[in-house]
Amino acid sequence: MIDLGICLLLFLLVYKFIRGTFEYEKITRFDMVLIPAYSTLMMVITLNNEYSLSKILTAVFLLILGICIGLFQASKIKIQTTGQIDKYHRPIVKVKRGWSYLIGWLLVFIIIIIIDLHYEPTLKTDGIIHELLNEILKDISIVAFFNIKNEWFVWVLNVATSLTYDMYLIIHYRPIRQAIRKRH
């Protein structure tokens, strides 16, 4: 049985996550560089412990699928240049992710649940709710991102989608490149 408090927390977090997807958020070097680098490191570490042909093939498939999802997520973003500069003299740029990001995020979540069910067929509703909470918390809180333990396949999907999304933005939008460049 799912606790009412957990349901309320989940509802509030889902609301905050969805609302944030349709609002302009500031692009930061931390989000665009450090998080994908950390995810890549964690993917390599967790895959290093998983030496089976089926898991390696699954990882390759997930990388390809994640790249496709990342491209879809980035395809409809909107950017806003604020005309302001940060303390490092870089322009402040904001991004609104929108529906494509939200749909891509939902696809990633569904893929994670499917793989979870494959490797742990006894996964129950509580486990799915717990996974949803983790995924939302990781997306809205940097503290949660660095503290929640993930399985290897979650890191693979995270690397593929976030690196593709970030690289797409960097390649296609000059203001974003300027916003995350090294400080002088």
Side-chain angles (χ1 to χ4, degrees):
M1 176 105 181
I2 302 171
D3 182 11
L4 181 62
I6 296 292
C7 286
L8 182 59
L9 175 64
L10 182 61
F11 175 78
L12 292 173
L13 289 173
V14 166
Y15 173 76
K16 179 177 176 30
F17 174 71
I18 291 173
R19 193 181 88 217
T21 302
F22 295 98
E23 294 175 348
Y24 282 97
E25 295 177 336
K26 180 182 171 188
I27 288 285
T28 67
R29 184 172 173 80
F30 184 83
D31 291 337
M32 301 274 300
V33 177
L34 186 62
I35 288 178
Y38 177 78
S39 296
T40 303
L41 175 67
M42 294 306 295
M43 178 188 75
V44 170
I45 289 170
T46 56
L47 273 175
N48 193 34
N49 299 329
E50 304 288 340
Y51 268 14
S52 77
L53 182 59
S54 70
K55 288 185 181 176
I56 298 301
L57 291 174
T58 302
V60 170
F61 175 74
L62 290 175
L63 282 170
I64 294 167
L65 189 59
I67 288 169
C68 294
I69 292 170
L71 287 171
F72 175 73
Q73 286 180 307
S75 67
K76 303 286 185 202
I77 65 116
K78 295 183 180 167
I79 69 164
Q80 178 184 69
T81 53
T82 65
Q84 301 171 323
I85 58 171
D86 66 11
K87 63 183 177 180
Y88 303 113
H89 304 287
R90 296 180 294 217
I92 295 175
V93 178
K94 295 182 177 186
V95 173
K96 186 188 321 184
R97 298 176 292 187
W99 281 107
S100 60
Y101 185 88
L102 189 59
I103 291 167
W105 185 91
L106 188 58
L107 286 171
V108 168
F109 175 72
I110 290 168
I111 293 166
I112 288 170
I113 295 304
I114 290 169
I115 295 172
D116 244 349
L117 286 168
H118 173 73
Y119 287 110
E120 190 182 328
T122 59
L123 186 67
K124 296 195 177 359
T125 305
D126 289 354
I128 294 171
I129 298 293
H130 178 73
E131 191 66 44
L132 180 59
L133 273 171
N134 282 346
E135 289 303 310
I136 292 173
L137 283 171
K138 286 187 312 189
D139 204 270
I140 63 176
S141 167
I142 197 66
V143 173
F145 180 83
F146 286 109
N147 285 312
I148 292 176
K149 182 183 178 294
N150 288 314
E151 296 293 331
W152 63 272
F153 52 88
V154 176
W155 286 118
V156 170
L157 276 170
N158 191 353
V159 165
T161 56
S162 67
L163 265 177
T164 303
Y165 176 85
D166 292 348
M167 291 308 297
Y168 182 92
L169 297 184
I170 291 167
I171 291 168
H172 288 88
Y173 297 100
R174 187 171 188 266
I176 291 176
R177 282 193 304 276
Q178 293 172 333
I180 66 165
R181 72 177 186 258
K182 287 185 180 180
R183 56 184 165 171
H184 300 311

